[in-house]
Amino acid sequence: MGKAKKIEDMTMEERQEYWAKQREQEAMVREALLFQLRDKYPSMVQSVEELVKAASSVGDDLQWSGARFVTVDEMHKLIDTAQTVRHLFHLDS
């Protein structure tokens, strides 16, 4: 095989193919890491999923209905799950 081309020397099609391959490789790495994390520390993944769900709920209410429709319960859930994620990922220092 020949020497790899520099990105600035590639055609548009070559760049698109290069970046598509890069995204595919990165996705495979992320998938493997997520599998390892789920296997060893399922509570970490679960806490992030709960945080996403709570943030999405609050965000949807804010965007579509306005702040007066965000419940105190939703805000507490968001705050609690954010604190759990900070603790599990050692981000609270």
Side-chain angles (χ1 to χ4, degrees):
M1 289 183 84
K3 189 176 179 181
K5 275 187 174 179
K6 292 182 179 180
I7 291 182
E8 50 272 355
D9 296 332
M10 293 180 183
T11 65
M12 179 62 79
E13 291 79 22
E14 289 172 326
R15 285 185 195 145
Q16 289 173 340
E17 185 178 332
Y18 171 82
W19 288 115
K21 286 180 182 178
Q22 288 294 110
R23 286 189 300 273
E24 186 177 308
Q25 288 176 345
E26 290 172 5
M28 289 178 3
V29 168
R30 284 191 304 271
E31 187 176 327
L33 290 171
L34 186 56
F35 178 79
Q36 291 175 1
L37 197 57
R38 277 189 200 282
D39 187 47
K40 291 184 180 184
Y41 307 102
S43 63
M44 293 177 85
V45 175
Q46 182 181 2
S47 68
V48 170
E49 289 170 344
E50 289 175 7
L51 179 59
V52 168
K53 187 176 177 181
S56 180
S57 175
V58 169
D60 285 348
D61 284 350
L62 286 171
Q63 182 176 3
W64 301 112
S65 304
R68 67 181 179 268
F69 290 96
V70 176
T71 66
V72 172
D73 185 53
E74 286 177 310
M75 288 304 300
H76 282 283
K77 181 71 173 171
L78 180 60
I79 292 165
D80 291 345
T81 56
Q83 181 58 37
T84 299
V85 168
R86 274 194 298 272
H87 175 72
L88 288 172
F89 285 85
H90 301 285
L91 301 173
D92 47 4
S93 56

